[in-house]
mmCIF file of all heavy atoms in Angstrom:
data_model
loop_
_atom_site.group_PDB
_atom_site.id
_atom_site.type_symbol
_atom_site.label_atom_id
_atom_site.label_comp_id
_atom_site.label_asym_id
_atom_site.label_seq_id
_atom_site.Cartn_x
_atom_site.Cartn_y
_atom_site.Cartn_z
ATOM 1 N N THR A 1 -34.465 28.180 -3.630
ATOM 2 C CA THR A 1 -33.184 28.894 -3.696
ATOM 3 C C THR A 1 -32.000 27.947 -3.507
ATOM 4 O O THR A 1 -31.016 27.993 -4.265
ATOM 5 C CB THR A 1 -33.126 30.002 -2.666
ATOM 6 O OG1 THR A 1 -34.289 30.872 -2.828
ATOM 7 C CG2 THR A 1 -31.839 30.826 -2.760
ATOM 8 N N PHE A 2 -32.083 27.059 -2.536
ATOM 9 C CA PHE A 2 -30.941 26.155 -2.293
ATOM 10 C C PHE A 2 -30.721 25.193 -3.453
ATOM 11 O O PHE A 2 -29.576 24.734 -3.637
ATOM 12 C CB PHE A 2 -31.175 25.369 -0.969
ATOM 13 C CG PHE A 2 -30.734 26.096 0.235
ATOM 14 C CD1 PHE A 2 -31.628 26.522 1.212
ATOM 15 C CD2 PHE A 2 -29.380 26.397 0.450
ATOM 16 C CE1 PHE A 2 -31.219 27.208 2.342
ATOM 17 C CE2 PHE A 2 -28.949 27.064 1.571
ATOM 18 C CZ PHE A 2 -29.854 27.481 2.531
ATOM 19 N N ARG A 3 -31.702 24.923 -4.220
ATOM 20 C CA ARG A 3 -31.531 23.998 -5.329
ATOM 21 C C ARG A 3 -30.807 24.633 -6.497
ATOM 22 O O ARG A 3 -30.507 23.927 -7.504
ATOM 23 C CB ARG A 3 -32.915 23.481 -5.797
ATOM 24 C CG ARG A 3 -33.483 22.416 -4.852
ATOM 25 C CD ARG A 3 -34.865 22.008 -5.298
ATOM 26 N NE ARG A 3 -35.407 20.933 -4.454
ATOM 27 C CZ ARG A 3 -36.666 20.541 -4.395
ATOM 28 N NH1 ARG A 3 -37.549 21.170 -5.160
ATOM 29 N NH2 ARG A 3 -37.033 19.587 -3.607
ATOM 30 N N GLN A 4 -30.475 25.880 -6.380
ATOM 31 C CA GLN A 4 -29.811 26.555 -7.484
ATOM 32 C C GLN A 4 -28.293 26.427 -7.462
ATOM 33 O O GLN A 4 -27.608 26.748 -8.447
ATOM 34 C CB GLN A 4 -30.202 28.045 -7.479
ATOM 35 C CG GLN A 4 -31.635 28.299 -7.728
ATOM 36 C CD GLN A 4 -32.072 29.752 -7.556
ATOM 37 O OE1 GLN A 4 -31.207 30.622 -7.398
ATOM 38 N NE2 GLN A 4 -33.365 30.003 -7.585
ATOM 39 N N ARG A 5 -27.710 25.969 -6.349
ATOM 40 C CA ARG A 5 -26.283 25.791 -6.230
ATOM 41 C C ARG A 5 -25.948 24.466 -5.520
ATOM 42 O O ARG A 5 -26.810 23.917 -4.867
ATOM 43 C CB ARG A 5 -25.634 26.951 -5.461
ATOM 44 C CG ARG A 5 -25.844 28.320 -6.071
ATOM 45 C CD ARG A 5 -25.057 29.366 -5.365
ATOM 46 N NE ARG A 5 -25.321 30.709 -5.825
ATOM 47 C CZ ARG A 5 -24.680 31.833 -5.469
ATOM 48 N NH1 ARG A 5 -23.675 31.723 -4.590
ATOM 49 N NH2 ARG A 5 -24.999 33.017 -5.950
ATOM 50 N N THR A 6 -24.723 24.031 -5.645
ATOM 51 C CA THR A 6 -24.282 22.840 -4.984
ATOM 52 C C THR A 6 -24.040 23.090 -3.501
ATOM 53 O O THR A 6 -23.945 24.249 -3.056
ATOM 54 C CB THR A 6 -22.997 22.270 -5.560
ATOM 55 O OG1 THR A 6 -21.927 23.192 -5.325
ATOM 56 C CG2 THR A 6 -23.131 22.051 -7.078
ATOM 57 N N ARG A 7 -23.944 22.035 -2.747
ATOM 58 C CA ARG A 7 -23.671 22.203 -1.314
ATOM 59 C C ARG A 7 -22.384 23.014 -1.059
ATOM 60 O O ARG A 7 -22.403 23.954 -0.269
ATOM 61 C CB ARG A 7 -23.525 20.821 -0.658
ATOM 62 C CG ARG A 7 -23.279 20.863 0.837
ATOM 63 C CD ARG A 7 -22.794 19.527 1.392
ATOM 64 N NE ARG A 7 -21.460 19.228 0.943
ATOM 65 C CZ ARG A 7 -20.809 18.089 1.218
ATOM 66 N NH1 ARG A 7 -21.407 17.172 1.967
ATOM 67 N NH2 ARG A 7 -19.578 17.886 0.814
ATOM 68 N N ASP A 8 -21.323 22.645 -1.722
ATOM 69 C CA ASP A 8 -20.067 23.325 -1.449
ATOM 70 C C ASP A 8 -20.072 24.788 -1.934
ATOM 71 O O ASP A 8 -19.383 25.639 -1.365
ATOM 72 C CB ASP A 8 -18.906 22.567 -2.104
ATOM 73 C CG ASP A 8 -18.653 21.235 -1.395
ATOM 74 O OD1 ASP A 8 -19.181 21.020 -0.301
ATOM 75 O OD2 ASP A 8 -17.966 20.375 -1.993
ATOM 76 N N GLU A 9 -20.843 25.052 -2.968
ATOM 77 C CA GLU A 9 -21.013 26.468 -3.403
ATOM 78 C C GLU A 9 -21.724 27.259 -2.329
ATOM 79 O O GLU A 9 -21.327 28.414 -2.039
ATOM 80 C CB GLU A 9 -21.781 26.529 -4.726
ATOM 81 C CG GLU A 9 -20.943 26.062 -5.914
ATOM 82 C CD GLU A 9 -21.749 25.973 -7.200
ATOM 83 O OE1 GLU A 9 -23.008 25.850 -7.115
ATOM 84 O OE2 GLU A 9 -21.165 26.014 -8.295
ATOM 85 N N TRP A 10 -22.739 26.674 -1.680
ATOM 86 C CA TRP A 10 -23.392 27.380 -0.597
ATOM 87 C C TRP A 10 -22.486 27.522 0.625
ATOM 88 O O TRP A 10 -22.523 28.552 1.310
ATOM 89 C CB TRP A 10 -24.687 26.637 -0.192
ATOM 90 C CG TRP A 10 -25.799 26.833 -1.149
ATOM 91 C CD1 TRP A 10 -26.441 25.927 -1.897
ATOM 92 C CD2 TRP A 10 -26.431 28.101 -1.437
ATOM 93 N NE1 TRP A 10 -27.419 26.499 -2.662
ATOM 94 C CE2 TRP A 10 -27.436 27.859 -2.397
ATOM 95 C CE3 TRP A 10 -26.240 29.425 -1.038
ATOM 96 C CZ2 TRP A 10 -28.251 28.850 -2.938
ATOM 97 C CZ3 TRP A 10 -27.033 30.423 -1.572
ATOM 98 C CH2 TRP A 10 -28.038 30.142 -2.484
ATOM 99 N N VAL A 11 -21.671 26.534 0.880
ATOM 100 C CA VAL A 11 -20.700 26.641 1.968
ATOM 101 C C VAL A 11 -19.797 27.854 1.744
ATOM 102 O O VAL A 11 -19.490 28.630 2.663
ATOM 103 C CB VAL A 11 -19.892 25.363 2.103
ATOM 104 C CG1 VAL A 11 -18.695 25.576 3.062
ATOM 105 C CG2 VAL A 11 -20.763 24.195 2.615
ATOM 106 N N ALA A 12 -19.370 28.000 0.496
ATOM 107 C CA ALA A 12 -18.502 29.160 0.174
ATOM 108 C C ALA A 12 -19.244 30.464 0.346
ATOM 109 O O ALA A 12 -18.689 31.459 0.818
ATOM 110 C CB ALA A 12 -17.970 29.027 -1.267
ATOM 111 N N VAL A 13 -20.532 30.514 -0.026
ATOM 112 C CA VAL A 13 -21.311 31.734 0.133
ATOM 113 C C VAL A 13 -21.395 32.130 1.577
ATOM 114 O O VAL A 13 -21.260 33.343 1.931
ATOM 115 C CB VAL A 13 -22.722 31.495 -0.422
ATOM 116 C CG1 VAL A 13 -23.673 32.659 0.005
ATOM 117 C CG2 VAL A 13 -22.679 31.407 -1.989
ATOM 118 N N PHE A 14 -21.586 31.185 2.482
ATOM 119 C CA PHE A 14 -21.817 31.505 3.904
ATOM 120 C C PHE A 14 -20.520 31.464 4.746
ATOM 121 O O PHE A 14 -20.603 31.619 5.959
ATOM 122 C CB PHE A 14 -22.858 30.553 4.482
ATOM 123 C CG PHE A 14 -24.233 30.809 3.994
ATOM 124 C CD1 PHE A 14 -24.844 30.018 3.032
ATOM 125 C CD2 PHE A 14 -24.961 31.922 4.500
ATOM 126 C CE1 PHE A 14 -26.132 30.308 2.547
ATOM 127 C CE2 PHE A 14 -26.254 32.196 4.046
ATOM 128 C CZ PHE A 14 -26.855 31.371 3.083
ATOM 129 N N ALA A 15 -19.401 31.214 4.107
ATOM 130 C CA ALA A 15 -18.142 31.164 4.845
ATOM 131 C C ALA A 15 -17.890 32.519 5.531
ATOM 132 O O ALA A 15 -18.040 33.558 4.887
ATOM 133 C CB ALA A 15 -16.990 30.866 3.907
ATOM 134 N N GLY A 16 -17.567 32.485 6.805
ATOM 135 C CA GLY A 16 -17.268 33.709 7.526
ATOM 136 C C GLY A 16 -18.434 34.456 8.076
ATOM 137 O O GLY A 16 -18.283 35.479 8.676
ATOM 138 N N SER A 17 -19.650 33.944 7.829
ATOM 139 C CA SER A 17 -20.853 34.629 8.300
ATOM 140 C C SER A 17 -21.389 33.913 9.554
ATOM 141 O O SER A 17 -21.042 32.779 9.843
ATOM 142 C CB SER A 17 -21.923 34.670 7.212
ATOM 143 O OG SER A 17 -22.647 33.478 7.157
ATOM 144 N N ASP A 18 -22.314 34.602 10.222
ATOM 145 C CA ASP A 18 -23.016 33.985 11.358
ATOM 146 C C ASP A 18 -24.447 33.564 10.958
ATOM 147 O O ASP A 18 -25.359 33.639 11.804
ATOM 148 C CB ASP A 18 -23.094 34.978 12.529
ATOM 149 C CG ASP A 18 -21.805 35.039 13.328
ATOM 150 O OD1 ASP A 18 -21.036 34.055 13.269
ATOM 151 O OD2 ASP A 18 -21.533 36.066 13.999
ATOM 152 N N ALA A 19 -24.606 33.163 9.708
ATOM 153 C CA ALA A 19 -25.934 32.749 9.252
ATOM 154 C C ALA A 19 -26.315 31.379 9.789
ATOM 155 O O ALA A 19 -27.469 30.959 9.613
ATOM 156 C CB ALA A 19 -25.950 32.741 7.750
ATOM 157 N N CYS A 20 -25.372 30.653 10.452
ATOM 158 C CA CYS A 20 -25.618 29.310 10.979
ATOM 159 C C CYS A 20 -26.063 28.354 9.901
ATOM 160 O O CYS A 20 -27.042 27.634 10.013
ATOM 161 C CB CYS A 20 -26.711 29.408 12.074
ATOM 162 S SG CYS A 20 -26.291 30.462 13.460
ATOM 163 N N VAL A 21 -25.277 28.333 8.823
ATOM 164 C CA VAL A 21 -25.477 27.393 7.707
ATOM 165 C C VAL A 21 -24.219 26.527 7.649
ATOM 166 O O VAL A 21 -23.106 27.063 7.606
ATOM 167 C CB VAL A 21 -25.684 28.125 6.387
ATOM 168 C CG1 VAL A 21 -25.795 27.132 5.247
ATOM 169 C CG2 VAL A 21 -26.933 28.960 6.442
ATOM 170 N N SER A 22 -24.409 25.218 7.632
ATOM 171 C CA SER A 22 -23.291 24.309 7.572
ATOM 172 C C SER A 22 -23.602 23.151 6.661
ATOM 173 O O SER A 22 -24.749 22.786 6.435
ATOM 174 C CB SER A 22 -22.969 23.784 8.989
ATOM 175 O OG SER A 22 -24.123 23.110 9.534
ATOM 176 N N PRO A 23 -22.544 22.511 6.102
ATOM 177 C CA PRO A 23 -22.772 21.352 5.231
ATOM 178 C C PRO A 23 -23.180 20.122 6.031
ATOM 179 O O PRO A 23 -22.731 19.921 7.174
ATOM 180 C CB PRO A 23 -21.406 21.169 4.540
ATOM 181 C CG PRO A 23 -20.445 21.663 5.575
ATOM 182 C CD PRO A 23 -21.130 22.840 6.242
ATOM 183 N N VAL A 24 -24.055 19.300 5.442
ATOM 184 C CA VAL A 24 -24.340 18.003 6.056
ATOM 185 C C VAL A 24 -23.326 17.022 5.501
ATOM 186 O O VAL A 24 -23.416 16.611 4.331
ATOM 187 C CB VAL A 24 -25.805 17.569 5.699
ATOM 188 C CG1 VAL A 24 -26.076 16.186 6.290
ATOM 189 C CG2 VAL A 24 -26.776 18.600 6.300
ATOM 190 N N LEU A 25 -22.367 16.641 6.328
ATOM 191 C CA LEU A 25 -21.216 15.844 5.869
ATOM 192 C C LEU A 25 -21.402 14.362 6.162
ATOM 193 O O LEU A 25 -22.121 13.962 7.087
ATOM 194 C CB LEU A 25 -19.939 16.314 6.581
ATOM 195 C CG LEU A 25 -19.562 17.790 6.404
ATOM 196 C CD1 LEU A 25 -18.321 18.121 7.222
ATOM 197 C CD2 LEU A 25 -19.347 18.131 4.945
ATOM 198 N N THR A 26 -20.719 13.548 5.381
ATOM 199 C CA THR A 26 -20.584 12.152 5.707
ATOM 200 C C THR A 26 -19.573 12.044 6.871
ATOM 201 O O THR A 26 -18.855 13.018 7.149
ATOM 202 C CB THR A 26 -20.077 11.323 4.533
ATOM 203 O OG1 THR A 26 -18.714 11.704 4.244
ATOM 204 C CG2 THR A 26 -20.970 11.518 3.310
ATOM 205 N N MET A 27 -19.503 10.899 7.467
ATOM 206 C CA MET A 27 -18.531 10.741 8.590
ATOM 207 C C MET A 27 -17.110 10.846 8.073
ATOM 208 O O MET A 27 -16.221 11.398 8.759
ATOM 209 C CB MET A 27 -18.794 9.436 9.323
ATOM 210 C CG MET A 27 -20.117 9.354 10.001
ATOM 211 S SD MET A 27 -20.387 7.787 10.871
ATOM 212 C CE MET A 27 -22.175 7.903 11.157
ATOM 213 N N GLU A 28 -16.853 10.349 6.888
ATOM 214 C CA GLU A 28 -15.498 10.473 6.306
ATOM 215 C C GLU A 28 -15.185 11.915 5.993
ATOM 216 O O GLU A 28 -14.051 12.373 6.232
ATOM 217 C CB GLU A 28 -15.394 9.592 5.081
ATOM 218 C CG GLU A 28 -15.383 8.112 5.373
ATOM 219 C CD GLU A 28 -15.132 7.284 4.096
ATOM 220 O OE1 GLU A 28 -14.994 7.896 2.995
ATOM 221 O OE2 GLU A 28 -15.080 6.052 4.227
ATOM 222 N N GLU A 29 -16.173 12.642 5.463
ATOM 223 C CA GLU A 29 -15.931 14.073 5.181
ATOM 224 C C GLU A 29 -15.717 14.854 6.486
ATOM 225 O O GLU A 29 -14.893 15.778 6.510
ATOM 226 C CB GLU A 29 -17.147 14.662 4.450
ATOM 227 C CG GLU A 29 -17.288 14.235 3.018
ATOM 228 C CD GLU A 29 -18.534 14.802 2.368
ATOM 229 O OE1 GLU A 29 -19.611 14.796 3.031
ATOM 230 O OE2 GLU A 29 -18.486 15.202 1.187
ATOM 231 N N ALA A 30 -16.422 14.474 7.515
ATOM 232 C CA ALA A 30 -16.268 15.185 8.838
ATOM 233 C C ALA A 30 -14.862 15.078 9.315
ATOM 234 O O ALA A 30 -14.287 16.081 9.855
ATOM 235 C CB ALA A 30 -17.207 14.580 9.843
ATOM 236 N N ALA A 31 -14.202 13.944 9.145
ATOM 237 C CA ALA A 31 -12.822 13.794 9.618
ATOM 238 C C ALA A 31 -11.845 14.677 8.928
ATOM 239 O O ALA A 31 -10.789 15.044 9.447
ATOM 240 C CB ALA A 31 -12.415 12.311 9.464
ATOM 241 N N ARG A 32 -12.214 15.096 7.676
ATOM 242 C CA ARG A 32 -11.334 15.965 6.893
ATOM 243 C C ARG A 32 -11.714 17.425 6.961
ATOM 244 O O ARG A 32 -11.026 18.268 6.362
ATOM 245 C CB ARG A 32 -11.318 15.489 5.441
ATOM 246 C CG ARG A 32 -10.776 14.070 5.243
ATOM 247 C CD ARG A 32 -10.553 13.740 3.770
ATOM 248 N NE ARG A 32 -11.818 13.790 3.014
ATOM 249 C CZ ARG A 32 -12.613 12.726 2.816
ATOM 250 N NH1 ARG A 32 -12.273 11.564 3.344
ATOM 251 N NH2 ARG A 32 -13.719 12.867 2.120
ATOM 252 N N HIS A 33 -12.801 17.760 7.625
ATOM 253 C CA HIS A 33 -13.244 19.154 7.688
ATOM 254 C C HIS A 33 -12.163 19.978 8.405
ATOM 255 O O HIS A 33 -11.605 19.577 9.426
ATOM 256 C CB HIS A 33 -14.535 19.285 8.408
ATOM 257 C CG HIS A 33 -15.114 20.674 8.333
ATOM 258 N ND1 HIS A 33 -14.771 21.679 9.211
ATOM 259 C CD2 HIS A 33 -15.993 21.234 7.461
ATOM 260 C CE1 HIS A 33 -15.419 22.773 8.884
ATOM 261 N NE2 HIS A 33 -16.153 22.553 7.850
ATOM 262 N N PRO A 34 -11.833 21.186 7.870
ATOM 263 C CA PRO A 34 -10.750 21.966 8.460
ATOM 264 C C PRO A 34 -10.860 22.242 9.965
ATOM 265 O O PRO A 34 -9.861 22.217 10.678
ATOM 266 C CB PRO A 34 -10.828 23.313 7.642
ATOM 267 C CG PRO A 34 -11.408 22.902 6.366
ATOM 268 C CD PRO A 34 -12.406 21.800 6.672
ATOM 269 N N HIS A 35 -12.101 22.481 10.424
ATOM 270 C CA HIS A 35 -12.255 22.768 11.868
ATOM 271 C C HIS A 35 -11.969 21.506 12.707
ATOM 272 O O HIS A 35 -11.176 21.574 13.655
ATOM 273 C CB HIS A 35 -13.659 23.299 12.182
ATOM 274 C CG HIS A 35 -13.831 23.666 13.607
ATOM 275 N ND1 HIS A 35 -13.352 24.819 14.138
ATOM 276 C CD2 HIS A 35 -14.440 23.011 14.609
ATOM 277 C CE1 HIS A 35 -13.665 24.886 15.430
ATOM 278 N NE2 HIS A 35 -14.297 23.761 15.738
ATOM 279 N N LEU A 36 -12.623 20.394 12.351
ATOM 280 C CA LEU A 36 -12.406 19.201 13.144
ATOM 281 C C LEU A 36 -10.946 18.699 12.988
ATOM 282 O O LEU A 36 -10.384 18.137 13.915
ATOM 283 C CB LEU A 36 -13.393 18.121 12.694
ATOM 284 C CG LEU A 36 -14.879 18.434 12.839
ATOM 285 C CD1 LEU A 36 -15.699 17.175 12.591
ATOM 286 C CD2 LEU A 36 -15.188 19.005 14.218
ATOM 287 N N ALA A 37 -10.391 18.883 11.806
ATOM 288 C CA ALA A 37 -8.988 18.499 11.589
ATOM 289 C C ALA A 37 -8.025 19.326 12.456
ATOM 290 O O ALA A 37 -7.088 18.800 13.028
ATOM 291 C CB ALA A 37 -8.630 18.590 10.096
ATOM 292 N N ALA A 38 -8.329 20.650 12.532
ATOM 293 C CA ALA A 38 -7.468 21.493 13.342
ATOM 294 C C ALA A 38 -7.515 21.122 14.817
ATOM 295 O O ALA A 38 -6.513 21.196 15.543
ATOM 296 C CB ALA A 38 -7.878 22.967 13.147
#
C-alpha cells in the first residue's frame, strides 16, 4: 500500500490524524519542517 504513493502524498493523507505516521526526513529537511521551525 505505501508503495502506491510518494512520501509527501502520504504525509498529506495523514495530516491532522492520530495515526502516528510521520515522514522520515533528512537533517536539512528537519530544519525546515513546520513544527520544528515554529
Side-chain angles (χ1 to χ4, degrees):
T1 304
F2 273 115
R3 284 177 176 165
Q4 295 173 9
R5 300 187 187 187
T6 67
R7 182 194 69 182
D8 292 345
E9 287 174 337
W10 283 118
V11 169
V13 167
F14 288 104
S17 82
D18 280 338
C20 301
V21 176
S22 58
V24 176
L25 302 177
T26 67
M27 295 181 195
E28 291 186 358
E29 287 177 319
R32 298 191 297 269
H33 188 274
H35 182 78
L36 300 190

